[in-house]
Amino acid sequence: MSRLRDHLPLPAEGALISPPEGDATPFEVFIQLLRGKPHVHAGTVDAVDSEMALQFAREHYGQDQACVHIWVVPRSAMLGTDYEHDVIWRSTDRSYKLARGYQVHNRWRQFRSKEDVKEYEKEDLKEHY
Amino acid sequence: MSVSASVDLKLDWDIQEDPVKLVPFEERITKGELVEPDDWMPHNYRVGMLRMAEHHANSEIVGALPEGEWITRAPTLRRKLALIAKVQDEVGHGQMLYRVSQDLGKPRDQMLRDLITGKTKYHNVFNYPAPTWADVVMIQWLVDGAAIMNQATLADGSYGPYVRTMKRINMEEAFHFKSGEDMVLTMMSGTPKQKQMAQEAFDRWWAPCLMFFGPLDKESVKTSPFMRWRIKTATNDDLRQRFVDRFAPAALDLGLKIHITVKDQDGMVTEKREDTEIRRNEKTGYWHFSQPDWNEFHRVVKGNGPLNKKRVALRRFSYEQGQWVRRAIVGGSDLPPLC
Ligand SMILES: [Fe+2]
Ligand SMILES: [Fe+2]
């Protein structure tokens, strides 16, 4: 214990002298880990303006992994759906609007040899089925 | 994303870009890095990219028109649902691509106005008529098939927002194409009358699809660095050859014949004879084919195709009718305040 601490000038008990100031504004932080990839939500910081939020976001979310870009958005500027009441993806059969809703491979085989169908399907965007 | 609206949107090959910026920019592209809207980019890169994205957006919007006409007449409920979803997808593609174009510096309203006043173009293929349900079938198999081939190469480009949009679009294109295949397989497994309808529609669409990929490489006057900058990643002739290699043998196996056609002013076939060039080169594996009538292509590009005027007139009608909506949303300060 330093002598300074032994002689703190403020009382340790009783009513506070400083009035409450309230919180700063929450900002949601989105980080991008690789150029060209989507930004993903990383967390939230409190700040008085977007400059400060960006500075905090760099420190909190930009230093523990190879982050290349950050966006901050005031939470008040965001609007979201309601889990209870908003149905976004209907669960009725909507296979008619998906590539996998159409099983054409066997139908092609009625017209073409296995090799020809295979060759033809090479250009398919298979990642989307 | 702050791009001032006053960017000069003309290509200018006399511009000397600052090498201190240009060299690292080109190095990034060579390494496969994506360019983002706020990055420095050469003037002609911005303009070239904007022109391509805007032309693509226009094509998605106008491309919805020929098929939209058929929604009320689809043969089954499932086909109708699929067609509604497909047309909605295409308009959505247009929205996304106009958004990409806006960030390159051109206001959206200007793009809509330029399209209907003929200052900008859309894809030639949508100037042809779809007189029967079989045309809807051929559009979804051949035109969407051609679009996928083109867009798969564009998804490998260098401009980040466009590349990401292409990937999203291609997911939906995969549905359009499978639905098209399903329909062509249905028709070619059907009655003689269905097969004949399919053949007649195929005759109308084969040549426009060959033209889809643009003029012959030897005639396209681009001495520009668009390939080096990866705005384009494949040549017209390469894409056309890949299209023929995939679709000619498939069509033949389905029982379709490939014809060389002559069309009247309305885009209807008046004469046809079998394309005797169609065969596989056993040495190279490539398919031979007859070139389409390139004079017709240039005529249609200049605005004299079967439906150029009708397509633009319908867009113009909808723009004019939508005036009150635009005014209510982004209109002038003379409007009464929202309650
Ligand atoms: Fe599309
Ligand atoms: Fe499509």
Side-chain angles (χ1 to χ4, degrees), chain B residues 178-246:
Chain B
K178 285 292 140 184
S179 151
E181 285 180 87
D182 194 56
M183 293 194 291
V184 79
L185 285 158
T186 296
M187 292 209 88
M188 294 311 289
S189 315
T191 63
K193 193 154 185 200
Q194 280 176 299
K195 289 181 192 169
Q196 191 196 335
M197 263 177 82
Q199 178 67 57
E200 286 170 3
F202 184 82
D203 292 337
R204 281 188 285 277
W205 290 96
W206 178 252
C209 283
L210 295 179
M211 297 174 193
F212 181 92
F213 300 99
L216 295 166
D217 287 350
K218 64 173 195 269
E219 281 164 26
S220 62
V221 278
K222 287 189 192 96
T223 47
S224 65
F226 290 164
M227 289 287 260
R228 190 172 78 237
W229 287 342
R230 301 188 68 75
I231 288 179
K232 258 184 97 121
T233 61
T235 76
N236 298 354
D237 287 350
D238 285 348
L239 285 166
R240 188 166 17 249
Q241 186 63 52
R242 276 171 58 191
F243 175 83
V244 174
D245 290 342
R246 189 180 195 198

Side-chain angles (χ1 to χ4, degrees), chain A residues 9 26 59 63 65 67 72 85 93 96-97 113:
Chain A
E59 296 300 327
Q63 301 298 328
Q65 47 193 329
C67 176
V72 288
H85 298 105
D93 175 23
Y96 64 84
K97 62 180 293 172
S113 73

Side-chain angles (χ1 to χ4, degrees), chain A residues 79-93:
Chain A
L79 186 64
T81 52
D82 182 331
Y83 287 108
E84 291 300 312
H85 298 105
D86 288 329
V87 179
I88 302 166
W89 175 260
R90 278 187 279 122
S91 55
T92 48
D93 175 23

Side-chain angles (χ1 to χ4, degrees), chain B residues 64-96:
Chain B
L65 302 181
E67 287 177 286
E69 291 169 7
W70 277 95
I71 289 174
T72 52
R73 292 172 284 173
T76 69
L77 183 57
R78 193 176 166 84
R79 296 285 190 223
K80 191 195 287 260
L81 284 167
L83 187 56
I84 293 170
K86 198 256 187 192
V87 168
Q88 188 193 27
D89 283 353
E90 304 297 11
V91 177
H93 298 168
Q95 303 276 13
M96 286 190 267

Side-chain angles (χ1 to χ4, degrees), chain B residues 60 70 84 99 121 135 141 145 158 170 172 192 200 204 229 239 285 291-292 302 305 328:
Chain B
E60 299 282 358
W70 277 95
I84 293 170
R99 189 56 249 165
K121 301 213 179 303
D135 291 82
W141 185 43
S158 64
N170 284 343
E172 294 178 340
E200 286 170 3
R204 281 188 285 277
W229 287 342
L239 285 166
Q291 289 294 330
K302 289 207 182 81

Side-chain angles (χ1 to χ4, degrees), chain B residues 149-170:
Chain B
M149 282 188 159
N150 191 28
Q151 287 168 188
T153 70
L154 296 175
D156 195 29
S158 64
Y159 186 57
Y162 188 72
V163 164
R164 288 189 289 274
T165 305
M166 246 359 78
K167 289 185 176 149
R168 252 204 95 82
I169 285 181
N170 284 343

